[in-house]
Amino acid sequence: MKNVLIINTHQFYEGISSGSLNQTLVDTIKVDMEQRGYSVQLTDIEQGYDIEAEVCKHVWADIIILQSPVYWFGTPWIYKKYVDEVFTAGIAGQRLLVDDRRTREDPTKQYGTGGKMHGKQYMLSLTWNAPKEAFGNDDQVLFAGKTMDDVFVNNSANYKFCGAEVLPSFSSFNVIKQADVEGDLAKLREHLAAVI
C-alpha cells in the first residue's frame, strides 16, 4: 500500500475566497486515492500544524499532493511559511535532504542533488481565475507562452531539490468567472488516474 499526503494551502479571504472549491478538490483527491487502496493523511495549513509531525508525514508519504488556490501568481503566503518551517526542520534532521550536495572541497558537484526524497512523487493541483487560454500561448501578454508548471517552478523546485519526482500539475481554470466544478472534478479524476 502506498501513502499519500494531501496538503491544503487555502487561506480564507472574506468575500473573495471561502475555500469551498479547494476543499471539494481535496475531498475528491482523498476519496479517489482511498478507493484505489492508498493510505491518506491530510494537512490543512490554515487550521495549524505541528512542524515535526509535518516532517514525519513527508517521510511517510510516497506521494505528496498540494491543493492550492492561486493568489497573485503563487500559493497563499501561509504555504511559504509552512515550507520554510517544515523543510528547514527536514534539513536540520537530515530527513528530507542532507544538503545541496556541493562541498567546500568540491563545489562542482551537481547543485540540488542532496535530497533524501528519492522514490517519492509530488503533484500540484491548482485553482486559477485565469482561463486555460492564458497558458502555453506566445500571443498571451501575461505568461508569454509559459505553462502552469513554468509559472510554479519555484514551488515544485522545493520537492525536486529534495529528490522527489515532480508530476504534471492539474489546474482548474476560470474558477471565478466561468466555474465548471463538475467538469473539473471529472478532469481531476482522469488526471490522477493518468499520472499516479
Side-chain angles (χ1 to χ4, degrees), residues 1-5 37-39 56-65 117-123 159 164-165 167 196:
M1 177 184 297
K2 287 198 172 186
N3 301 323
V4 178
L5 170 60
Y38 291 84
S39 179
C56 291
K57 286 180 184 180
H58 277 78
V59 170
W60 167 85
D62 299 300
I63 302 164
I64 299 107
I65 301 175
M117 294 179 71
H118 296 281
K120 297 179 184 290
Q121 296 177 313
Y122 174 72
M123 189 190 98
Y159 285 90
E165 173 191 2
L167 300 173
I196 298 176

Side-chain angles (χ1 to χ4, degrees), residues 24-25 27-33 35-36 123 125 170 172 181-196:
T24 298
L25 294 166
D27 294 342
T28 300
I29 295 167
K30 180 179 186 294
V31 168
D32 184 86
M33 293 290 100
Q35 287 176 344
R36 292 166 58 189
M123 189 190 98
S125 178
F170 173 80
S172 296
V181 176
E182 290 308 313
D184 284 342
L185 295 178
K187 289 175 190 170
L188 174 58
R189 290 183 195 101
E190 290 170 9
H191 183 83
L192 292 171
V195 302
I196 298 176

Side-chain angles (χ1 to χ4, degrees), residues 6-193:
I6 303 169
I7 304 171
N8 182 349
T9 75
H10 180 264
Q11 185 172 4
F12 179 81
Y13 285 100
E14 184 71 43
I16 296 173
S17 181
S18 68
S20 60
L21 176 58
N22 215 64
Q23 188 61 54
T24 298
L25 294 166
V26 166
D27 294 342
T28 300
I29 295 167
K30 180 179 186 294
V31 168
D32 184 86
M33 293 290 100
E34 288 175 342
Q35 287 176 344
R36 292 166 58 189
Y38 291 84
S39 179
V40 176
Q41 289 192 46
L42 299 171
T43 295
D44 186 339
I45 294 175
E46 195 169 38
Q47 300 306 312
Y49 55 89
D50 176 86
I51 296 168
E52 175 60 25
E54 294 306 307
V55 172
C56 291
K57 286 180 184 180
H58 277 78
V59 170
W60 167 85
D62 299 300
I63 302 164
I64 299 107
I65 301 175
L66 187 77
Q67 177 59 55
S68 183
V70 177
Y71 291 168
W72 295 105
F73 313 106
T75 57
W77 70 267
I78 59 174
Y79 177 68
K80 174 61 170 133
K81 179 178 182 282
Y82 172 91
V83 166
D84 286 351
E85 292 175 340
V86 173
F87 281 72
T88 299
I91 193 171
Q94 296 193 347
R95 288 172 290 167
L96 302 182
L97 70 156
V98 176
D99 57 24
D100 69 20
R101 191 159 182 264
R102 301 173 305 143
T103 63
R104 286 185 176 85
E105 294 76 30
D106 187 1
T108 63
K109 289 183 178 177
Q110 181 70 43
Y111 176 72
T113 58
K116 296 183 82 173
M117 294 179 71
H118 296 281
K120 297 179 184 290
Q121 296 177 313
Y122 174 72
M123 189 190 98
L124 277 163
S125 178
L126 304 167
T127 59
W128 296 83
N129 175 49
K132 185 175 183 177
E133 298 75 29
F135 301 93
N137 181 344
D138 291 333
D139 294 331
Q140 291 289 312
V141 174
L142 184 61
F143 297 122
K146 290 181 175 60
T147 67
M148 296 77 62
D149 291 317
D150 293 333
V151 175
F152 267 76
V153 70
N154 64 323
N155 176 283
S156 55
N158 294 325
Y159 285 90
K160 192 170 185 179
F161 188 77
C162 292
E165 173 191 2
V166 178
L167 300 173
S169 67
F170 173 80
S171 287
S172 296
F173 299 102
N174 226 357
V175 300
I176 304 296
K177 297 185 176 69
Q178 264 187 325
D180 178 13
V181 176
E182 290 308 313
D184 284 342
L185 295 178
K187 289 175 190 170
L188 174 58
R189 290 183 195 101
E190 290 170 9
H191 183 83
L192 292 171

